[in-house]
Amino acid sequence: MSSRKFCVGGNWKMNGDQKSIAEICKVLSDAPLDANTEVVIGCPAIYLMFARNLLPCSIGVAGQNSYKVAKGAFTGEISPAMLKDIGADWVILGHSERRAIFNESDELIAEKAEHALSEGLKVIACIGESLEEREAGKTNDVVARQMCAYAKKIKDWTNVVVAYEPVWAIGTGKTATPDQAQEVHAYLRQWLAENISKEVSSSLRIQYGGSVTAANARDLAKKPDIDGFLVGGASLKPEFVDIINARK
C-alpha cells in the first residue's frame, strides 16, 4: 500500500435539509470509521455550519464551490475566507456539474483553486471526461488539459487532492471498472511526474468518483493509484460508512 493517506469525500450536492443532515451526521458520528482514512463532507453552503457542529472534529467539511476573490460585488457567490470563517477546511472545485451546467472554464476553476489555497483552504480539484470524449479515445487528452490549467496556477500541491470523475459515470449507475479507473489514475501519475515533479506524482492523492457504492468500493480501493473516493448519492446513505471503510 502506498504511504498516501486514503481520503474519502462525500459530495451531498444540492440535497438535504436540517432533519436529514442531522440523521446522516449521527450515523457518521456513531460509526466505527477507519482511522487511517481521511473523511471530508461537501455540504450545501447554508448547512455547512450546522453540519460542522454535528460532526466529529476528525471529519472535515467542504464547500462545494467558492469564488476566486475574497470579497466584493459578486451576488450569490461565497469566498474561501467565508468558508474558513464558519469552520470549513476544504472546498470542492471544478466538479463536472459546475463545468457543464454553469459553464465554468478550466481557467476560472484554476483561478478559484489558486485563491482558495492562498486563503488556507484545502482543495478537491475535479477533472474528468464525457462519454463522447471517452468513446473518441480522448480521455487522456481531456484530463491532461484540465490538469494543465490547474498546474499553471497551483505551485504547491500539498493541500490538493485530485478527484478523477468520468462524467459518464456520475449518477448514471455506470461505474468505470477498477481497471479503467486505475488506467487513468496511472496516466495522471505519469503526467504529474513529467509535468510537475516525481515528488508530487508520488505524494498527490487521486480520488476516483463516479457511482461509487459500498458494492464496488473495495475492488476500486485495491488499485495502487486510487487513493480514495469522491462519492455523490451514496454519501447521503448509511452505506457511506462502508465506502469510508473500504480498506479496513
Side-chain angles (χ1 to χ4, degrees), residues 195-218:
N195 294 277
I196 312 290
S197 71
K198 286 198 166 60
E199 292 72 29
V200 169
S201 172
S202 64
S203 63
L204 182 71
R205 294 176 293 177
I206 307 175
Q207 296 173 321
Y208 169 76
S211 298
V212 176
T213 63
N216 59 28
R218 282 189 183 277

Side-chain angles (χ1 to χ4, degrees), residues 2-247:
S2 89
S3 59
R4 300 183 294 271
K5 185 168 185 173
F6 208 67
C7 180
V8 175
N11 178 12
W12 292 351
K13 307 190 180 183
M14 197 175 75
N15 292 299
D17 52 27
Q18 290 183 72
K19 182 173 179 286
S20 62
I21 287 171
E23 285 165 5
I24 191 73
C25 287
K26 186 171 189 327
V27 168
L28 293 171
S29 299
D30 294 346
L33 303 181
D34 186 349
N36 295 316
T37 294
E38 185 170 11
V39 182
V40 181
I41 300 294
C43 180
I46 59 168
Y47 296 123
L48 274 165
M49 213 165 175
F50 181 67
R52 175 68 287 165
N53 290 335
L54 293 173
L55 289 167
C57 297
S58 55
I59 294 180
V61 297
Q64 296 178 12
N65 185 30
S66 63
Y67 198 50
K68 63 180 181 178
V69 294
K71 59 182 179 181
F74 303 102
T75 302
E77 292 293 320
I78 52 176
S79 70
M82 292 171 178
L83 290 173
K84 277 197 78 176
D85 188 43
I86 55 115
D89 28 22
W90 289 81
V91 65
I92 299 168
L93 294 171
H95 192 279
S96 64
E97 288 150 8
R98 301 294 322 166
R99 294 175 187 269
I101 301 167
F102 301 101
N103 298 315
E104 292 190 6
S105 66
D106 294 346
E107 292 70 31
L108 173 62
I109 291 160
E111 287 171 341
K112 288 180 171 193
E114 177 185 37
H115 178 62
L117 290 165
S118 74
E119 292 281 293
L121 281 180
K122 296 174 200 165
V123 171
I124 296 176
C126 303
I127 58 172
E129 84 285 8
S130 68
L131 186 58
E132 296 74 34
E133 288 163 340
R134 173 164 278 268
E135 288 177 343
K138 292 180 181 166
T139 295
N140 289 359
D141 296 344
V142 172
V143 296
R145 187 200 80 221
Q146 293 167 334
M147 287 300 294
C148 265
Y150 283 125
K152 282 180 186 153
K153 296 292 181 183
I154 297 173
K155 297 303 167 233
D156 181 352
W157 292 79
T158 314
N159 288 327
V160 180
V161 170
V162 167
Y164 165 63
E165 299 199 297
V167 180
W168 47 273
I170 298 175
T172 58
K174 293 178 184 170
T175 315
T177 64
D179 287 339
Q180 282 176 318
Q182 166 58 26
E183 195 180 319
V184 180
H185 283 235
Y187 170 74
L188 287 166
R189 278 209 202 285
Q190 179 194 331
W191 186 92
L192 288 161
E194 290 168 3
N195 294 277
I196 312 290
S197 71
K198 286 198 166 60
E199 292 72 29
V200 169
S201 172
S202 64
S203 63
L204 182 71
R205 294 176 293 177
I206 307 175
Q207 296 173 321
Y208 169 76
S211 298
V212 176
T213 63
N216 59 28
R218 282 189 183 277
D219 286 336
L220 287 161
K222 286 178 186 151
K223 293 296 178 184
D225 292 306
I226 297 180
D227 306 312
F229 307 116
L230 186 57
V231 184
S235 66
L236 292 152
K237 302 171 188 166
E239 72 174 286
F240 187 47
V241 171
D242 299 321
I243 297 171
I244 292 167
N245 292 335
R247 277 202 172 162

